[in-house]
Amino acid sequence: MTLPHIAIDGPVASGKSTVAMLVARRLNLLYVDTGAMYRAVALAALHDGVELQDGDALAALAQHHRIDLEPLADARGYAVRLDGEDVTARLFGGAVTAAVSTVAAQPQVRRLLVQRQREIAAQRAVVMAGRDIGSVVLPDAPFKIFLTASVEERVRRRLAELRAAGRAIDAATLREDVERRDRADTERADSPLLPAPGALVLDSSTLQASDVAARIVSWVTSSTAAES
Ligand code: DC
């Protein structure tokens, strides 16, 4: 049986995490933010002093530490536990954000996390957000969305988020960071960020997350109703 998985991919600050969480709540599915899994490995590497380019050592680290995503009814929609400790607040700070694209470019790390993501999706229907969900992790997902937005809009959103969290950063530095991460994600050899074949490409530059989520929910419910 093919579970009605929903795969949502897109670049930094395209709104995919918020949209995925809203869709999961509306349809009562499990929300899995795969970026948080890569961030947890990056956090563990920084903590244990593992070289960020050493794919074998990183994969050993990811195997040795336990990473759990726990669904929550808060604004983010989940907590991440590293060896049982809630590390969610530390995953989105500057140090992990600077390290994570190097960690995520290592094929050994990707192989391991992709396998874990497939194991989660084999248990129940999910809304899974990331960069390679429709293309690599769940290529048979019946609903694939590639969510994008202009660089200007993505920088504006991320700036507002950081300022709301009390973090001072200027727009030019943030734009450089977003562009650097876009390049790292789209130019890496293993599973570069690309719309999966058959994905619905949505530009959210002028849309609210709630509008994008409503479109996806209506696509899923109308297709499911048409089939039954
Ligand atoms: O979505 P995010 O910014 O939290 O993702 C963190 C990093 O992990 C980012 O550099 C992209 C990478 N990533 C990935 O390579 N594959 C995924 N499925 C999810 C995230």
Side-chain angles (χ1 to χ4, degrees):
M1 179 189 69
T2 312
L3 290 168
H5 294 313
I6 302 174
I8 304 185
D9 292 299
V12 178
S14 54
K16 61 189 181 312
S17 303
T18 309
V19 166
M21 184 202 62
L22 292 172
V23 171
R25 278 199 185 145
R26 272 292 304 280
L27 297 175
N28 196 23
L29 303 175
L30 178 68
Y31 163 42
V32 183
D33 179 4
T34 60
M37 299 170 80
Y38 288 94
R39 286 173 182 272
V41 176
L43 178 69
L46 293 173
H47 182 266
D48 291 10
V50 170
E51 170 58 48
L52 300 179
Q53 311 252 15
D54 187 343
D56 288 332
L58 289 169
L61 185 80
Q63 255 165 336
H64 171 248
H65 290 285
R66 201 190 149 90
I67 299 169
D68 293 306
L69 249 62
E70 181 184 280
L72 280 187
D74 68 350
R76 192 180 296 285
Y78 62 85
V80 178
R81 291 188 178 276
L82 188 60
D83 300 323
E85 185 196 348
D86 185 346
V87 293
T88 323
R90 283 149 66 192
L91 295 185
F92 299 91
V96 170
T97 300
V100 68
S101 20
T102 308
V103 169
Q106 308 307 319
Q108 298 93 325
V109 175
R110 301 201 71 80
R111 214 172 301 130
L112 198 76
L113 293 190
V114 166
Q115 188 190 333
R116 290 211 186 142
Q117 290 152 13
R118 287 183 180 148
E119 281 163 13
I120 296 171
Q123 305 296 319
R124 58 175 291 191
V126 293
V127 181
M128 199 173 267
R131 301 291 191 288
D132 60 343
I133 310 306
S135 54
V136 175
V137 181
L138 303 173
D140 296 331
F143 303 101
K144 298 180 192 179
I145 296 99
F146 189 85
L147 193 58
T148 173
S150 66
V151 176
E152 290 71 25
E153 177 59 19
R154 292 188 287 125
V155 169
R156 198 192 61 72
R157 288 178 191 168
R158 190 45 50 96
L159 203 58
E161 256 173 49
L162 292 173
R163 290 197 173 144
R167 294 200 18 226
I169 184 162
D170 69 278
T173 308
L174 187 64
R175 186 179 174 123
E176 273 170 30
D177 179 57
V178 165
E179 288 177 339
R180 177 187 63 78
R181 293 178 60 204
D182 280 354
R183 268 196 307 279
D185 292 343
T186 51
E187 291 174 7
R188 68 172 176 233
D190 189 342
S191 319
L193 173 67
L194 273 177
L200 173 70
V201 178
L202 280 176
D203 185 331
S204 74
S205 301
T206 59
L207 296 172
Q208 301 288 324
S210 53
D211 297 329
V212 178
R215 270 193 209 189
I216 297 172
V217 168
S218 111
W219 178 34
V220 172
T221 46
S222 60
S223 310
T224 317
E227 265 174 27
S228 56

